[in-house]
Amino acid sequence: MDEPIVVGIDIGTTKVCTLVARVEGERGLRILGVGIEPSQGIRKGTIVDLGAATQSIARSVEKAQRTSGLEITSALVSLAGSHVSSVNSRGVVGVSGRMIDQDDVERALEAAQAVAIPHNREIIHVIQRGFVVDGQDGIRMPVGMHGFRLEMEAHIITAAATTVENLRQSVQAAGVEATQFVLNPLASAEVVLSETERQMGAVVCDIGGGTTDLAIYIDGDVWHTMVIAVGGNHVTSDIAHGLRLPMDQAEEIKKQYGYALEREVAADDTFTMRPFGEEQAEIVSRKDLAHIIEARVEEIFDLVLQEIKRSGYDGMLPAGMVLTGGMSNLPGIRTLASEVLGLPVRIAKPDNLVGLVDQLHSPAYSTSVGLLYWALMMSETMPVSPRGRRPRGGGNVNWEIIKNFLKRMLP
């Protein structure tokens, strides 16, 4: 097996999904192993019970190892939660010679990272937004240009150090080394966002069980990221309270009969259920269920709209929103999102997959598959062997790939 193997572990509030894939040809992936396990000990993207979370991760990894026939030693791991925050920064350096070289770019990157980060926070991503050479902005890659003053605009994403360490500890206890943490919407964007949408201006909205994750892309780069601690589990909780049901039954009813727009449900459309304390099943109108769901989903998109406006980029998104994540399977959600946000909205899921992909053709697995593409970018800059270890010996460095990777620079 000459092709490198890439592994991603998506640790969400509702599920842990481990994927193993083999790199084939130009950015082609064949899914070799899939391990999907219900999450335990995780709430709103944050670990609340270390032992339970470790068991869920270990079971997911074990399933992926069994289906792929490969031992998993290291993986990229997804990250979400309201503890994630971001800031835009600018680094300025003088050019050492008349011509800008790679050292100047790296010094500008270091200068951009020299922002006041509290001791209890950890830098997760430093993403290049663009360069300015002697006052001329909009430059994508300045290496080889003449200039005296180089500025780099960077988007810095940080997370609570203790939360990241707990996640790292859980993954290590499951026998896997977390080589890099990747923010959920950035991973999802690798799968669901087209190059045109990246350039024009679009927002990726990944609505999972515990969080709603946002990433705004303009001119091909990330300009703003945010995690909102509201998700599909809040809708389930509303149904459980409103109809007096256990959470697991409310989740099933949401999936089977849920609708995001009350006005589009027929008045005579009903279903049966058995609430707490009742011996006989009751008939419930789907319109009443849609009323409960619509109120919460509308609130989620109101919070998304507030965040987009707070970023200051609300007038720069002609490509609108790309909606993904498990909640985007809810019928009627695209129409409601478009009405609340006043933007074009489309729902996206992973496609062009080969291998063990039966379960993966769903928006719920956008982050999981996106982690593999992120790992693929990392493997292009730093080749790995099938066991996830770097090969010994030298080799020619592909500087073109390094330059492209700088666009998504990781610390």
Side-chain angles (χ1 to χ4, degrees), residues 50 122 160-170 172 181:
L50 203 65
E122 184 177 321
T162 51
T163 307
V164 174
E165 193 51 46
N166 287 336
L167 197 56
R168 186 180 282 115
Q169 195 176 326
S170 279
Q172 279 180 347
F181 291 101

Side-chain angles (χ1 to χ4, degrees), residues 346-369:
R346 74 175 179 90
I347 294 172
K349 62 184 179 182
D351 53 12
N352 300 324
L353 299 175
V354 291
L356 302 174
V357 298
D358 295 348
Q359 292 173 278
L360 304 181
H361 288 296
S362 164
Y365 297 102
S366 294
T367 299
S368 310
V369 176

Side-chain angles (χ1 to χ4, degrees), residues 257-272:
Y257 303 108
Y259 210 92
L261 284 171
E262 184 185 356
R263 66 172 187 267
E264 291 189 1
V265 179
D268 58 350
D269 201 347
T270 60
F271 62 93
T272 57

